[in-house]
Amino acid sequence: MSWLDRLRGGFQKTAERVADNLTGLTSKAALDTATLDDIEEALIASDLGPEASHRIREAISRQKFEQLDERGLRSILADEIEKILTPVAKPLEIWGFPRPHVILVIGVNGSGKTTTIGKLGRLLKEQDYGVLFAAGDTFRAAAIEQLQIWGDRIGAPVLSGKEGGDAAGIVFDGVKQATAQGIDVLIVDTAGRLQNKTHLMEELAKIRRVLGRLNPEAPHDVVLVLDATTGQNALAQVEVFRETANVTGLIMTKLDGTARGGVLVAAAEKFGLPIHAIGVGEKADDLRPFDPRAVARAIAGLPPE
C-alpha cells in the first residue's frame, strides 16, 4: 500500500465524520442562513476549528447554484481546505552555516517525537546530508534507547549520556562533534513534559543559551511534533510550546488511522506555522512531505487526481 493510500485510509474516518455531520444539509434548493450555520457547526464538530469552518461557510455562501448536492459541497470543501493549507506547506530546508544546522524536535511524550526524528534523519540522509542525533530527552531511558535503535537503522551516529543527565551538555557536545566531523545536521531530541511547564521552559532556555554561545543563529529550527489522534488537544499543545520554545514549524503524525485529522486544518488556519511533513505509518519512509492538495481531497472524501 502506498503512502497516499495510507493517508486516504486514515482520512477516510475524518471524511466519514464530516459526511455524517453534514447529512441532510444539502437537500435544500437554496441555502439560508440557518443552513449555513448548520454547515459551519458541522465542520467545527469535525475538528476543522472555528476559524477554518467560518471561512468555508463564507465561501459556500458566495457560490451560485440552483441546488448544492453532496459532491458539490465536497468540492467546495476541498478547494477551501487547500487554500488554507497551501501557504503553510513548506519543506524543512537545511540552510544553517557554519554547520551544523541544528534542529530541536519537541513534543509531548507519546506524540511520536523520537520516531519522527528517526524518519527525518533518514529523509535528510537521502538528500546527502550528514546527520547526527543527540539524545536530549535524558529523563526517559526508553527515549535514549529508541533513538539509538533509529540511529543504527538509518546509519546515523547517536550522542547520548546518562539517564537524568544534563540535556544542554549533550547538545553542547553534539555541536562540537558535528563541527569536528563535518556533519551537516544535528537533530536534538528533547523532553516533553507539559505537566511541569516551568521546568520545561527552563530546560529549553538553557539549551538555547548553550547553542547561542556556539552559534548565535542556532537552533535554526524548532519543530513541534503533534499527534493527530488527540484532536483539539493538539492546538493546546501548540499554544504551550510556542510560549516555551518559539516553535518554527510542525510535523503531524499518525495521519494513517485517525478520525480527527481535521485538526491539521485548524492548526494551519489558527497559527499559520509551516507544516514540514506528515507521518503516515511506522516504517522509516513513512514521513512524507506535506501535500496540501492530497490532504484537502482526502479530508473532503474526494478521490485523488
Side-chain angles (χ1 to χ4, degrees):
M1 182 183 293
S2 71
W3 74 269
L4 186 56
D5 289 333
R6 289 194 297 276
L7 174 69
R8 292 191 59 77
F11 272 118
Q12 182 177 353
K13 297 177 184 178
T14 299
E16 289 171 353
R17 190 176 183 195
V18 171
D20 288 345
N21 288 327
L22 293 175
T23 296
L25 298 183
T26 59
S27 58
K28 297 184 178 181
L31 291 180
D32 55 24
T33 299
T35 305
L36 289 168
D37 288 344
D38 288 342
I39 290 175
E40 183 175 352
E41 291 174 7
L43 296 174
I44 293 172
S46 303
D47 279 325
L48 271 70
E51 292 91 351
S53 298
H54 183 71
R55 175 170 167 172
I56 294 168
R57 174 202 190 277
E58 293 301 296
I60 294 172
S61 71
R62 293 192 295 268
Q63 297 294 317
K64 304 295 184 182
F65 44 75
E66 294 182 0
Q67 180 171 336
L68 182 62
D69 59 15
E70 182 179 340
R71 175 79 182 192
L73 182 56
R74 287 182 184 273
S75 295
I76 296 171
L77 182 60
D79 289 345
E80 292 305 314
I81 290 175
E82 184 179 354
K83 290 176 184 177
I84 293 170
L85 296 180
T86 296
V88 301
K90 298 178 181 178
L92 194 62
E93 296 182 353
I94 306 304
W95 54 268
F97 190 84
R99 297 296 203 224
H101 182 106
V102 181
I103 304 172
L104 290 187
V105 182
I106 61 179
V108 300
N109 295 334
S111 64
K113 175 167 54 73
T114 306
T115 298
T116 296
I117 290 172
K119 295 175 183 178
L120 178 60
R122 181 185 185 277
L123 197 62
L124 292 174
K125 281 178 66 66
E126 286 182 342
Q127 299 171 30
D128 293 325
Y129 291 113
V131 175
L132 170 66
F133 293 151
D137 186 354
T138 61
F139 285 81
R140 293 191 306 127
I144 299 173
E145 294 170 3
Q146 186 181 12
L147 193 62
Q148 186 63 63
I149 290 170
W150 272 104
D152 294 341
R153 183 178 298 172
I154 71 167
V158 178
L159 185 65
S160 62
K162 297 185 300 182
E163 182 181 356
D166 180 26
I170 295 293
V171 175
F172 179 89
D173 292 342
V175 173
K176 290 293 189 181
Q177 180 175 322
T179 301
Q181 297 179 359
I183 293 174
D184 299 296
V185 186
L186 174 66
I187 306 179
V188 181
D189 195 4
T190 62
R193 304 173 313 284
L194 283 187
Q195 57 269 39
N196 187 342
K197 191 167 68 171
T198 301
H199 186 85
L200 176 65
M201 190 181 303
E202 291 172 351
E203 181 176 286
L204 290 171
K206 185 177 180 181
I207 290 174
R208 282 184 169 277
R209 288 196 301 271
V210 167
L211 287 171
R213 288 198 294 269
L214 297 169
N215 183 343
E217 292 189 343
H220 303 88
D221 291 286
V222 181
V223 177
L224 174 60
V225 177
L226 296 173
D227 177 351
T229 65
T230 62
Q232 294 298 304
N233 188 49
L235 303 183
Q237 292 174 27
V238 178
E239 294 276 13
V240 172
F241 279 108
R242 279 208 313 175
E243 175 189 339
T244 59
N246 297 322
V247 175
T248 61
L250 307 174
I251 292 177
M252 187 79 75
T253 66
K254 306 180 186 179
L255 285 171
D256 55 322
T258 174
R260 314 198 71 174
V263 73
L264 188 70
V265 182
E269 179 73 8
K270 184 171 184 178
F271 300 109
L273 287 166
I275 300 176
H276 299 308
I278 55 174
V280 291
E282 296 298 321
K283 296 179 181 178
D285 61 351
D286 284 339
L287 187 70
R288 309 299 306 185
F290 180 53
D291 183 338
R293 187 165 186 79
V295 169
R297 293 184 67 83
I299 291 175
L302 292 174
E305 294 182 325

